[in-house]
Amino acid sequence: MRLTTRRFLQAAGLFAAGVLLAACGKKEAPPAPTPAAAAPASAAAAPAKVYVVGTDAAYAPFESQNEKGEIVGFDVDVVKAAAAKAGIEVKFVNTPWEGIFNALGQGDRDMVVSAVTITEERKQTMDFSTPYFDAVQLIAVKADSKIAKFEDLKKLKVGVQTGTTGDEAVTKLLGKTSTSIKRFESTPLALKELESGGVDAVVADNGVVINYVANNAGSKFKTVADKSFAPEQYGVAIKKGNADLLAKVNKGLADIKADGSYDKIFTQYFGAPPPVAATAPAAAASK
Ligand code: ARG
């Protein structure tokens, strides 16, 4: 596979994915109010709150661990930039996907930023920021596979990451009681199983599948898109009712969209700027 990730992403049309934050203009964000320089010593001594962000860092290019064990990726850069605009401090903590929303509910994490798709079901138990990324499910198969569409998976073994929207889509197609769905705790594990032949296909978020295929040429995979997959949008998940933090995150996201830093980060990871936010009004309407 000679394609670079960047060209692969372009070829795969990831850029059909829109960005749904309020559209832009060259507006400079107002400087964050500086705390009075001459604040009394007692006030200055209070340490700033550091918001703990849970993420399942096995999901490149959105979140992964580098050689130094640092959590890096598109989500990390977006949320750190938004947090800086909002005047809050964040710290990413690697958190297994299974249980990640429980950790949020119990207050062990203040936010979950993990390529989380905003769904009606999840909205019952958590709040979401404005969407910051468009995604869709994509099928990974062996390069010589005859699988051409999602329906073709009906009689086959399919790997998914437990509790993801990919799991949901496959469960719907194969049935709740199907024994042909192989659930894994991470998406890379599901893709490893595809390589060893334990499953015939893996269904996961497009960005992650594309990135994996481009960076693991030895696996000899190809991707299969299907229009029947519903469009998805990633949001920052916040404990239900934490309106203060939600407002801060939304302000930060709006600011980085307005000043071009969101587009810069997007381009850095996906090789081209996001398309014009043609879908923004629809996103607002789907609330
Ligand atoms: N977008 C999908 C979902 O919300 C998958 C996200 C998985 N994220 C991760 N870091 N493992 O269900």
Side-chain angles (χ1 to χ4, degrees):
M1 162 93 50
R2 250 155 294 134
L3 284 181
T4 61
T5 301
R6 173 193 176 136
R7 302 188 64 189
F8 190 97
L9 288 168
Q10 279 164 346
L14 187 67
F15 306 109
V19 173
L20 299 141
L21 302 171
C24 42
K26 277 269 165 315
K27 202 180 110 230
E28 277 286 301
T34 27
S42 59
K49 170 156 177 69
V50 178
Y51 290 92
V52 180
V53 182
T55 193
D56 169 27
Y59 218 63
F62 298 98
E63 44 266 336
S64 59
Q65 275 185 295
N66 66 14
E67 321 74 53
K68 289 187 223 147
E70 298 157 341
I71 299 173
V72 296
F74 174 80
D75 281 357
V76 181
D77 288 357
V78 165
V79 169
K80 279 189 178 163
K85 294 282 187 192
I88 60 172
E89 259 189 77
V90 293
K91 180 182 141 204
F92 278 75
V93 176
N94 200 2
T95 309
W97 179 256
E98 291 185 73
I100 205 167
F101 298 124
N102 273 342
L104 181 69
Q106 285 164 8
D108 294 340
R109 303 287 182 270
D110 296 300
M111 301 178 227
V112 172
V113 176
S114 199
V116 179
T117 300
I118 303 169
T119 69
E120 285 308 316
E121 195 190 339
R122 288 176 183 160
K123 275 196 210 163
Q124 310 296 310
T125 53
M126 63 196 85
D127 290 335
F128 280 102
S129 70
T130 47
Y132 66 86
F133 192 83
D134 275 11
V136 70
Q137 296 303 303
L138 187 64
I139 305 163
V141 294
K142 288 267 182 72
D144 59 3
S145 165
K146 292 198 172 58
I147 293 165
K149 55 183 189 309
F150 188 39
E151 280 264 309
D152 294 347
L153 304 187
K154 260 190 168 158
K155 299 255 135 58
L156 301 175
K157 286 206 182 87
V158 188
V160 295
Q161 182 176 12
T162 311
T164 57
T165 45
D167 184 356
E168 259 171 56
V170 171
T171 302
K172 220 167 144 193
L173 183 75
L174 274 68
K176 265 205 171 66
T177 55
S178 169
T179 52
S180 300
I181 307 170
K182 305 284 170 222
R183 295 186 172 88
F184 296 87
E185 74 191 48
S186 81
T187 295
L189 280 176
L191 290 158
K192 285 261 165 358
E193 188 74 3
L194 175 61
E195 190 172 346
S196 63
V199 294
D200 304 298
V202 167
V203 177
D205 293 7
N206 57 340
V208 172
V209 171
I210 289 166
N211 185 270
Y212 189 94
V213 171
N215 290 305
N216 295 274
S219 307
K220 298 204 163 47
F221 290 164
K222 67 177 178 188
T223 63
V224 177
D226 190 310
K227 289 202 194 68
S228 71
F229 289 122
E232 301 184 24
Q233 299 171 338
Y234 296 165
V236 175
I238 291 169
K239 187 171 180 170
K240 209 164 184 44
N242 194 347
D244 173 63
L245 181 56
L246 181 63
K248 285 180 169 131
V249 169
N250 279 339
K251 181 204 178 300
L253 287 172
D255 283 358
I256 62 167
K257 183 57 194 164
D259 79 350
S261 33
Y262 175 91
D263 285 14
K264 239 191 184 154
I265 298 167
F266 192 103
T267 305
Q268 187 192 323
Y269 282 90
F270 302 110
V276 182
T279 48
S286 79
K287 281 284 135 66

